[in-house]
């Protein structure tokens, strides 16, 4: 049983640091069975912290202190105090130099935080609090220092030695060793420190910045992956140009490096000048990575690059401000991706993700504001709320201010705070100062958790020719926040006439109409807006482009939704109307199923989809999105009590009905596209990606019919595609089909062919883990014993255990509790060596309140079992204890 509970850290307790570090000089001596770290810190009393010389408390964990000296005076054991997490000593002057040497063990670091080994290579991950596992330090983001780093290692094993900044010196040492020194002239917090040593190859390119400086660009990978870097390099150059054009931000060092590593807890890390990436976020070529993987790489490369300004040049004062850099940078990368691909499709994907996963988080036991006010373990707060909802908050500011004022605000923010560690309030202040718009009430988005509901009602007065929309907003209670104040909710909208045209929009009191799509600010709990000169009762198109992260409802009839699907000038809302129609139909079927009635499908859904499929003018990616039914996870999220089996049955029923009724147009679309694939070599480019997405969704519907000609087509696509997008989809469709022999054959062949490519094997695990066919858990358990599986590798954990628990609802939620027990067992195992990954995998169990009492009891039982399982990491303890509270 655990004895010690982790402390809760509160935003309200923030205090400036007592001491500052101006210069940090590090020397690493890397060996196979230990490493030595020498740190020289040039320090001084923080003038903002008051008078006197308080004790200096440095962070440090899992360090073996070998020597310590203050101003060149060697300190003895009586001169300082050590705890498992700190080193305390008493400075005798306001400025001093501290030298320390510690021994650490990267070779046995399985938490993948601090300095660790991934395969044969040394690498680091310091955000948020990993630097304290490297040396004694003030490991907090408001302590910013210049860094000079020397790395020494065996030359043959580790020919490449990298750190932040620019290379300044290198040479050979004794015993076959060599060294390199790097200098980073920009002051930075320790969380942005990075080091890499390994046998790496790189591809090289260059970028000329807007002021004409040449920057060397390098992507380092293990030699066998050197042919999979070009897409990431192209993405990097596009990102650098886009940030200059859209934000006026120029890169600042002479070199920018990306290193791909196989063992990484998340996607990537923005270390200054030396981004370290999960190899899944770098490596791609047609034969091994899907379109989705290519787009994810483009987005992550951009995200990490954009952090150079939004995060590195201007950083966070404390970790409560995490969304200052993450929400802003996600907003920036989303706009970049929208500019590089289809804007509407990007928005649809992001909103579907937000509504399924972030809304669920915001309704669960870990709900927290975009700027949290308390945490036990900061690693648990790299959440969908901080990232995705944080980005929505930025998007709303952009919508309210307009693009020009927003840009003035961001220019002011970067100029005013360059080189500083600041708060979300500082960001808002810059936006207010540049735009003249008061954001006081708007800031509630940072402090209040929970997803607001927005109920909209209408009233048309034919005699007065006025149309009134009334918005009623409310927000459910969340842990620690019973009452909420009204938010500022920007509602972009239009009004459609009977032909589907946008009407001019004139509000009462305005002299003339102002456009046909505009943004209303809903600021009161109950807020009405009256449009005048409205000659006929219009149909409103509300929350265009999903202008605010709320749960909006309006009593649309199914016929009205079908009309909006065809006529709304806002592409996002055409999709949204289709989703709402599908949700209505699916919920009706769920009810029929629960009452034991035969399910009867409203044929209007078929009619609407037929119209879409027959329209050859529409963007194929849009058609694909509109053909996609709301996911089981989303249907669960919007249920008061999610009936996993009824949802699955209803959704499968609709899929089969669509497949039978629309067989012809789906088959025609499929064949035309597959023919084009056969004739055109693969390029990861928007037009082809759109075509393949429609082709693939058509194939999944067609396979529902079980017809021989479809099976043959699926096998042909599987065997003969020149790219992973088509091959993997064909495999997934086979895996979910009843054709056992073909399925087994394809799976075996795939594994044999790709056994040496771990990223492709991740896909192979995922398609099997996600299959809703009976027996899911035992398939997953067998796969855990596959030679390519390894619980120590986070990508493997995510692709097998994560895919099962998050994407395979019927199997994970099996009524005998076996899925829950399995997940709890894995969390208990992971807790022992990688707490961050353990805590992340727990998320599905934290949603227990969504389900009927029998499942609730089973899920809670597993959470309690984890709590009692022995010594828990703070990461797992926080999630489990809050979930049970
Ligand atoms: N800033 C990193 C995330 C670090 C997570 C640490 N547990 C990646 C990113 O958001 O760009
Ligand atoms: Zn980020």
């Amino acid at each position: 049983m655990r004895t010690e509970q982790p402390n809760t850290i509160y935003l309200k307790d923030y205090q400036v640091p007592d001491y500052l570090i101006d210069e940090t000089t590090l020397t690493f001596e890397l060996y196979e069975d230990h490493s030595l770290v020498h740190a020289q810190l040039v320090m001084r009393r923080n003038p903002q912290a008051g008078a006197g010389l308080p004790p200096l408390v440095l962070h440090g964990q899992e360090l073996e202190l070998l020597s310590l000296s203050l101003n060149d005076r060697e300190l003895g054991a009586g001169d300082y105090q050590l705890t498992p997490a700190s080193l305390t000593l008493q400075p005798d002057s306001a400025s001093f130099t501290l030298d320390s040497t510690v021994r650490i063990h990267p070779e046995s670091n399985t938490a993948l935080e601090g300095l660790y080994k991934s395969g044969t290579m040394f690498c680091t991950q310091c955000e948020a609090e990993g630097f304290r596992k490297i040396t004694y330090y003030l490991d907090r983001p408001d302590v910013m220092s210049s860094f000079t780093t020397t790395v020494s290692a065996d030359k043959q094993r580790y020919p490449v030695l990298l750190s932040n900044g620019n290379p300044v010196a290198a040479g050979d040492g004794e015993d076959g060793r060599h060294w390199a020194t790097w200098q980073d002239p920009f002051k930075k917090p320790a969380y942005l420190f990075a080091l890499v040593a390994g046998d790496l190859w790189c591809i090289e390119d260059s970028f000329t910045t807007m002021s004409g400086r040449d920057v060397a660009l390098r992507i380092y990978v293990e030699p066998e992956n050197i042919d999979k870097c070009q897409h990431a390099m192209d993405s990097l150059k596009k990102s650098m140009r886009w940030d200059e054009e859209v934000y006026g931000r120029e890169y600042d060092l002479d070199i920018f490096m990306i290193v791909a590593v196989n063992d990484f807890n998340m996607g990537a890390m923005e270390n200054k000048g030396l981004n370290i990436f999960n190899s899944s976020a770098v490596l791609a070529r047609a034969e091994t990575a899907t379109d989705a993987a290519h787009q994810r790489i483009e987005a992550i490369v951009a995200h990490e690059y954009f952090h150079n300004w939004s995060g590195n040049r201007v950083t966070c004062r404390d970790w409560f401000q995490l969304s200052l850099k993450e929400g802003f940078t996600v907003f920036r990368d989303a706009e970049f991706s929208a500019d590089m691909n289809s804007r509407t499709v990007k928005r649809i994907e992001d909103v579907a993700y937000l509504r399924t996963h972030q809304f669920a988080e915001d309704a669960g036991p870990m709900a927290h504001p975009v700027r949290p006010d308390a945490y036990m373990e900061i690693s648990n707060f790299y959440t969908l709320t901080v990232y995705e909802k944080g980005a929505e908050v930025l998007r709303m500011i952009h919508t309210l201010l307009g693009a020009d004022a927003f840009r003035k605000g961001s220019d002011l923010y970067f100029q005013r705070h360059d080189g500083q560690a600041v708060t979300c309030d500082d960001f808002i202040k810059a936006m207010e100062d540049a735009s003249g718009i008061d954001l006081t009430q708007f800031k509630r988005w940072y402090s209040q958790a929970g997803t607001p509901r927005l109920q909209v009602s209408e009233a048309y007065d034919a005699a007065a020719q006025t149309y009134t929309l009334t918005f009623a907003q409310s927000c459910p209670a969340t842990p620690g926040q019973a009452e909420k104040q009204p938010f500022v909710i920007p509602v972009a909208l239009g009004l459609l006439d009977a032909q589907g045209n946008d009407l001019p929009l004139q509000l009462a009191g305005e002299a003339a109409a102002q456009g046909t799509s505009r943004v209303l600010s809903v600021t009161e709990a109950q807020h009405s807006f009256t449009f005048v000169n409205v000659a006929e009762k219009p149909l409103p198109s509300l929350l265009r482009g999903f202008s605010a992260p709320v749960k909006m409802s309006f009593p649309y009839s199914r016929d009205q939704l079908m009309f909006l699907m065809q006529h709304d000038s806002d592409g996002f809302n055409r999709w949204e109307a289709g989703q709402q129609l599908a949700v209505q139909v699916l919920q009706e079927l769920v009810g029929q199923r629960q009452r034991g009635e035969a399910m009867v499908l409203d044929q209007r859904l078929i009619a609407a989809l037929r119209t879409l499929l027959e329209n050859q003018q529409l963007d194929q990616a849009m058609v694909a999105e509109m053909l996609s039914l709301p996911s089981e996870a989303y249907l669960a999220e919007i249920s008061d009590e999610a009936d996993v089996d009824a949802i699955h049955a209803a959704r499968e029923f609709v899929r089969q009905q669509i497949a039978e009724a629309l067989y012809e147009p789906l088959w025609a679309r499929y064949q035309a596209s597959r023919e084009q694939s056969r004739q055109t070599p693969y390029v990861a480019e928007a037009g082809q990606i759109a075509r393949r997405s429609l082709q693939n969704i058509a194939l999944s519907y067609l396979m529902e019919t079980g017809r021989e000609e479809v099976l043959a087509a699926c096998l042909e696509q599987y065997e003969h595609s020149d790219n992973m997008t088509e091959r993997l989809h064909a495999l997934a469709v086979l895996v979910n089909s009843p054709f056992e022999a073909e399925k087994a054959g394809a799976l075996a062949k795939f594994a044999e062919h790709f056994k040496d490519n771990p990223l492709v094997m991740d896909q192979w695990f995922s398609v099997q883990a996600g299959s809703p066919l009976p027996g899911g858990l035992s398939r997953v358990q067998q796969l855990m014993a596959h030679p390519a599986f390894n619980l120590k590798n986070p990508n493997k954990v995510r692709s097998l255990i994560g895919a099962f628990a998050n994407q395979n609802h019927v199997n994970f939620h099996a009524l005998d509790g076996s899925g829950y027990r399995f997940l709890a067992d894995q969390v208990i195992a992971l807790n022992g060596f990688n707490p961050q990954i353990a805590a992340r995998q727990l998320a599905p169990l934290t949603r227990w309140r969504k389900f009927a009492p029998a499942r609730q009891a089973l899920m809670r039982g597993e959470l309690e079992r984890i709590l009692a399982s022995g010594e828990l990491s703070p990461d797992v303890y926080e999630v489990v204890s809050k979930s049970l509270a």
Side-chain angles (χ1 to χ4, degrees), residues 163 481 509-510:
S163 189
Q481 290 187 339
E510 291 177 348

Side-chain angles (χ1 to χ4, degrees), residues 113 125-129 191 264-270 300 303-304 307 322 325-326 329-330 378-380 382 387 836 840:
E113 187 189 40
Q125 172 54 37
C126 295
E127 187 178 0
E129 298 181 334
Y191 83 85
F264 207 65
N265 280 346
M266 64 271 169
M269 178 63 211
E270 70 265 23
I300 297 181
H303 179 98
E304 306 311 333
H307 268 316
L322 184 57
K325 74 179 177 80
E326 296 304 348
T329 306
V330 172
I378 186 57
S379 297
N380 286 330
Y382 286 75
Y387 276 66
Q836 288 182 16
R840 288 218 159 223

Side-chain angles (χ1 to χ4, degrees), residues 115-241:
L115 178 64
Y116 66 95
K117 286 196 89 171
S118 175
T120 58
M121 143 185 15
F122 285 91
C123 62
T124 53
Q125 172 54 37
C126 295
E127 187 178 0
E129 298 181 334
F131 194 73
R132 62 190 63 185
K133 293 178 161 183
I134 292 177
T135 191
Y136 286 105
Y137 205 75
L138 295 176
D139 186 10
R140 44 186 288 172
D142 55 356
V143 171
M144 299 174 78
S145 171
S146 64
F147 280 72
T148 303
T149 304
T150 300
V151 188
S152 108
D154 183 81
K155 190 171 183 172
Q156 206 170 359
R157 284 179 199 246
Y158 309 101
V160 173
L161 305 173
L162 310 174
S163 189
N164 314 92
N166 299 313
V168 292
D172 286 336
E174 285 166 18
D175 300 331
R177 296 176 68 81
H178 71 147
W179 58 273
T181 300
W182 293 76
Q183 209 163 44
D184 184 357
F186 293 95
K187 292 203 167 209
K188 65 169 181 283
Y191 83 85
L192 291 171
F193 172 80
L195 173 158
V196 169
D199 183 3
L200 301 170
W201 288 6
C202 74
I203 68 162
E204 200 161 3
D205 207 327
S206 72
F207 180 84
T208 307
T209 70
M210 59 188 184
S211 73
R213 281 188 314 104
D214 277 335
V215 179
L217 310 178
R218 287 194 196 146
I219 299 182
Y220 286 92
V221 295
E222 287 169 320
E224 67 267 27
N225 291 323
I226 197 71
D227 60 344
K228 303 185 192 74
C229 301
Q230 193 55 45
H231 177 69
M233 183 64 90
D234 293 341
S235 303
L236 174 60
K237 289 191 284 182
K238 287 185 203 168
S239 308
M240 296 178 84
R241 190 61 74 211

